[in-house]
Amino acid sequence: MVIVYEFSQSQAGYTAMAFKAGDNTTIIGSTTAGADGNVSSIMLPGGLQTAISGIGVYYPDDRETQRIGIVPDIEVKPTVKGIREGRDEVLEKAIEIIEKE
């Protein structure tokens, strides 16, 4: 069971995808940020700096992940009620699924 959410990016997305390529892995949570791959800095005139991802990252079936994200097998998002109660609903759902197996 791998938990991801919309702020998961870079190595977190790549690692989730790597685990998914193995056997018996379920991704749970919400779609990741879609920001994975290397980062190259570019210096611009006037002392400005920007960065780009210079490589493509793809699922084993050739689907893109950049700008799309890692899409979970089971989508679960925190609710306002759960946050107010101090609960982690995504983790609770992951544990519930594991205990059923």
Side-chain angles (χ1 to χ4, degrees):
M1 190 67 64
V2 177
I3 297 174
V4 296
Y5 76 130
E6 61 271 14
F7 292 112
S8 300
Q9 60 183 320
S10 194
Q11 187 65 45
Y14 192 79
T15 300
M17 185 173 53
F19 277 121
K20 184 65 181 169
D23 294 332
N24 198 26
T25 299
T26 301
I27 309 290
I28 187 170
S30 54
T31 302
T32 66
D36 48 15
N38 69 326
V39 177
S40 299
S41 296
I42 301 170
M43 291 302 298
L44 300 171
L48 299 173
Q49 182 176 348
T50 189
I52 64 165
S53 177
I55 62 171
V57 179
Y58 301 87
Y59 280 105
D61 66 3
D62 292 332
R63 288 180 295 142
E64 286 190 60
T65 63
Q66 290 173 310
R67 299 180 322 275
I68 295 167
I70 305 303
V71 179
D73 300 306
I74 301 169
E75 184 176 63
V76 180
K77 295 182 179 182
T79 65
V80 172
K81 181 178 185 279
I83 293 168
R84 283 185 179 148
E85 294 172 356
R87 296 176 39 227
D88 186 335
E89 295 161 297
V90 180
L91 179 60
E92 290 171 0
K93 184 65 174 180
I95 291 169
E96 175 188 321
I97 293 167
I98 291 168
E99 288 177 342
K100 285 182 182 177
E101 293 180 5

